[in-house]
Amino acid sequence: MVLTSEEINIIVYKYLQESGFRHTSFAFQYESQVEKSTYRDAQIQPGALINIIHKGLQFMEIEAHMNEDGELMECSVPFSLLEPHHCELTGEIFNHEPDSTVKPLSSSTKRQRKEEKKQKDREKRARRETNVDEELDGDQLKEETTNEQQQSAIKAANGSLTSAPTIKEDEEMKDAQSIQSQPQPQQQDDTEIKPENVVLLQGHQSEVFSCAWNPIIPSLLASGSGDATARIWQVPEGKEKASEPIVLNHLPNMNDNKDVTTLEWNPSGSLLATGSYDGQARIWTQKGQLRFVMGHHTGPIFSLKWNMKGDLILSGSADTTTIVWDPETGEMKQQFELHSLAILDVDWMDNTTFASCSSDKTIYVCKVGSTKPLKKWVGHEDEVNAVRWNPSGQYLASCSDDMTTKIWNLSSDEPIQNLKGHNLQIYTLQWAPSSDSNILATASFDSTVRIWDAINGTCLHVLKNHSEAVYSISFSPDARLLASGSFDEVLNVWDSKDGVLKKTFKASGGIFEVHFNKDGDKLAACTSNKQVVILNHMSS
């Protein structure tokens, strides 16, 4: 490997330009003569210097913690670039086989785990519908019997099944599921979104998992993908071709999975925070310049949120911890180690108080600066997938694989409402934006969306026009419309007041996330076929 001063100079020069040090970069250009360098026209990725230093720091950390047997020892003290490192070894070894009494973290992302559950259900349904007289060889029959016994045992544990179904019961179950998954009769043509109102953003090389509109500029959209990039798009008004996006490269990453799992703009729209499956969080400018790489997490980041003031970032990870970051310095401000399993979602109540939920079935409410939680809520019987404070911060809604949504208040240790109605796992939820509204929407693997008066515990509408799991929902800013996206590749837009289907669009891939922009006239949907779908003129 050869490293020349000429290469270093050009990377430093690019860093100075990216960071806005115009006078310094001019002086450096003159003294180092980089304008005469053979590398002056080289395509250097934004943030290259920070990435190189960060990678070198990680190598130094590994070198410092490798024992004589070549095993990497875990250290509880963060490794610093400038400060001397004083090890406090925990005695644990990375990549060591976990103790059988400890439940290991899942190696797949939250969405992948949900997709596996959905796939199992689909396979089971397909087996029922095949010819029961079809002969199976001995191995297949044994595997089928084992799978059915496992399914029966799981259902028995949930109290939903006490014995293997008879032929009659099996037929009734099949009929019931057929009715449940049957979408409503095809709507009138006026609900179908016209092609001239659709813009396709293409460029990602893998599934697009997340998207977020800029809170200030209504045509600026960020998207995150499994191709190790996020992209910032300037979305056109009509059918004209979108300009080339700004590509935010998340390489080098710390493991083989390259997913950008979550992203969010700060309240002023000037900075974008992204979280990755490799456990690293990053902060970027609106122009795509990398400001910080924040690498304290040791597992995938599933949720990342700015507080309302924009002076703190909160991340929740599969490593069972939440971290509060200072976006001005990129430094960790506080780490909370309360949950025992992967953290699936986080949400701010105010500028210093937040909630987190986990696969361990619990919810914690914490305050920055305090080491003890304000609340620990135990009530769900399965992993808690999402938490959201209502706009006033008075109530917290949580949804779970136990098929319930619960409403909590800090004045009580028990939920003030327990919303039941869905008959499969509830994946996500959203409050209507109005500060005085008690309206809550929930989306489930049972292919429906429900709208509730959450405080009264009343289900107002059951929205049925999907045939597979609903992964994402989004209210328009005026709360008049509710969008839902599913893995059946259908994007629906509903009137949230009367539950009527207003618009529908058939995408060419499963939909992971939907999001209205600040004006409510554009709706983005990110899909499994590498595209971001934009629906224009939504407010008309």
Side-chain angles (χ1 to χ4, degrees), residues 377-539:
W377 283 319
V378 180
H380 283 293
E381 298 176 0
D382 208 331
E383 45 182 79
V384 186
N385 294 320
V387 285
R388 292 289 184 278
W389 293 98
N390 75 328
S392 68
Q394 185 177 3
Y395 302 108
L396 180 78
S398 61
C399 64
S400 166
D401 278 2
D402 67 8
M403 301 180 288
T404 71
T405 297
K406 300 184 189 299
I407 309 300
W408 311 83
N409 182 276
L410 285 175
S411 62
S412 174
D413 291 332
E414 301 294 327
I416 64 171
Q417 283 294 348
N418 190 26
L419 309 180
K420 295 183 178 180
H422 288 292
N423 52 39
L424 283 176
Q425 302 97 322
I426 304 172
Y427 188 67
T428 189
L429 42 70
Q430 290 288 334
W431 291 93
S434 175
S435 60
D436 59 350
S437 173
N438 295 326
I439 301 301
L440 178 74
T442 56
S444 168
F445 270 50
D446 65 9
S447 75
T448 70
V449 176
R450 287 176 176 256
I451 299 178
W452 312 79
D453 183 321
I455 308 307
N456 292 334
T458 307
C459 182
L460 304 176
H461 303 290
V462 181
L463 311 181
K464 299 180 179 179
N465 197 49
H466 290 294
S467 59
E468 292 195 41
V470 184
Y471 276 121
S472 181
I473 48 180
S474 175
F475 278 101
S476 60
D478 60 5
R480 185 174 57 89
L481 300 176
L482 176 68
S484 61
S486 165
F487 230 65
D488 62 5
E489 305 182 355
V490 174
L491 173 60
N492 290 318
V493 181
W494 312 82
D495 186 306
S496 62
K497 186 175 182 179
D498 58 23
V500 172
L501 182 63
K502 302 288 288 184
K503 298 176 185 293
T504 185
F505 177 75
K506 183 68 165 66
S508 57
I511 297 172
F512 281 119
E513 190 166 4
V514 296
H515 197 200
F516 275 101
N517 73 343
K518 67 178 283 291
D519 292 341
D521 62 338
K522 295 180 185 297
L523 176 64
C526 44
T527 71
S528 62
N529 72 332
K530 312 175 188 178
Q531 296 178 341
V532 182
V533 176
I534 306 295
L535 307 184
N536 285 316
H537 313 301
M538 297 305 300
S539 56

Side-chain angles (χ1 to χ4, degrees), residues 140-272:
Q140 287 176 317
L141 184 57
K142 182 178 179 181
E143 181 181 351
E144 183 74 15
T145 303
T146 302
N147 288 341
E148 289 298 329
Q149 287 174 344
Q150 290 173 345
Q151 292 289 339
S152 296
I154 292 170
K155 289 187 175 180
N158 290 329
S160 61
L161 186 64
T162 57
S163 62
T166 64
I167 295 176
K168 182 178 179 181
E169 289 171 339
D170 196 59
E171 289 298 321
E172 290 174 351
M173 290 170 65
K174 184 174 78 173
D175 292 342
Q177 286 187 337
S178 177
I179 292 172
Q180 174 190 312
S181 62
Q182 184 74 26
Q184 287 184 334
Q186 187 170 352
Q187 303 293 322
Q188 298 296 321
D189 289 342
D190 57 3
T191 66
E192 295 181 6
I193 294 175
K194 298 177 181 179
E196 56 265 28
N197 290 330
V198 178
V199 175
L200 297 180
L201 304 180
Q202 299 175 320
H204 280 296
Q205 302 302 307
S206 186
E207 302 98 331
V208 187
F209 291 120
S210 56
C211 59
W213 290 99
N214 187 283
I216 303 300
I217 305 172
S219 60
L220 198 63
L221 177 76
S223 60
S225 168
D227 63 5
T229 73
R231 294 171 191 244
I232 299 177
W233 310 82
Q234 186 66 48
V235 179
E237 288 299 323
K239 284 293 292 181
E240 60 267 24
K241 182 178 174 61
S243 58
E244 285 297 313
I246 300 171
V247 179
L248 313 181
N249 198 326
H250 285 62
L251 293 175
N253 57 313
M254 297 303 295
N255 57 35
D256 293 335
N257 192 306
K258 300 184 290 185
D259 295 353
V260 177
T261 51
T262 182
L263 46 76
E264 186 174 72
W265 293 96
N266 69 339
S268 66
S270 59
L271 297 174
L272 179 72

Side-chain angles (χ1 to χ4, degrees), residues 25-152:
S25 64
F26 179 80
F28 185 80
Q29 178 188 29
Y30 176 76
E31 292 183 354
S32 64
Q33 297 186 341
V34 293
E35 76 278 3
K36 299 179 181 179
S37 169
T38 56
Y39 301 108
R40 66 181 183 278
D41 296 323
Q43 296 298 315
I44 299 173
Q45 290 288 343
L49 180 62
I50 295 176
N51 268 329
I52 292 169
I53 294 174
H54 186 250
K55 196 71 174 178
L57 188 64
Q58 288 169 339
F59 180 83
M60 291 169 61
E61 183 178 16
I62 292 171
E63 187 180 43
H65 297 129
M66 190 79 72
N67 67 15
E68 294 179 355
D69 298 324
E71 297 170 324
L72 185 59
M73 305 299 294
E74 184 179 57
C75 177
S76 60
V77 179
F79 206 81
S80 171
L81 177 64
L82 300 179
E83 298 175 0
H85 182 68
H86 302 287
C87 277
E88 291 184 12
L89 299 179
T90 65
E92 297 293 326
I93 300 173
F94 282 110
N95 299 324
H96 191 269
E97 190 69 25
D99 187 86
S100 59
T101 61
V102 180
K103 184 176 180 181
L105 290 175
S106 169
S107 61
S108 58
T109 66
K110 178 182 176 185
R111 286 188 173 89
Q112 288 169 329
R113 291 202 309 275
K114 303 302 179 188
E115 181 61 19
E116 287 168 3
K117 291 180 181 179
K118 178 167 66 69
Q119 184 63 27
K120 289 177 182 177
D121 180 70
R122 184 186 295 158
E123 291 170 355
K124 185 177 179 183
R125 191 178 307 168
R127 286 200 300 270
R128 287 198 188 100
E129 294 171 355
T130 56
N131 187 350
V132 294
D133 294 325
E134 181 180 353
E135 292 186 357
L136 298 171
D137 62 45
D139 291 340
Q140 287 176 317
L141 184 57
K142 182 178 179 181
E143 181 181 351
E144 183 74 15
T145 303
T146 302
N147 288 341
E148 289 298 329
Q149 287 174 344
Q150 290 173 345
Q151 292 289 339
S152 296

Side-chain angles (χ1 to χ4, degrees), residues 296-297 312-315 321-326 331-338 348 352 354 366-373:
H296 286 286
H297 280 301
L312 294 174
I313 300 175
L314 174 66
S315 59
T321 73
T322 53
I323 294 180
V324 177
W325 308 88
D326 183 347
E331 294 295 318
M332 180 176 71
K333 192 175 182 71
Q334 188 173 358
Q335 186 171 27
F336 296 83
E337 302 180 31
L338 299 170
W348 291 98
T352 57
F354 67 89
C366 300
K367 191 173 184 66
V368 179
S370 176
T371 57
K372 295 183 178 180

Side-chain angles (χ1 to χ4, degrees), residues 3-12 28 32 34 37 39:
L3 182 64
T4 67
S5 60
E6 195 174 5
E7 291 173 313
I8 294 174
N9 286 343
I10 195 69
I11 292 174
V12 170
F28 185 80
S32 64
V34 293
S37 169
Y39 301 108

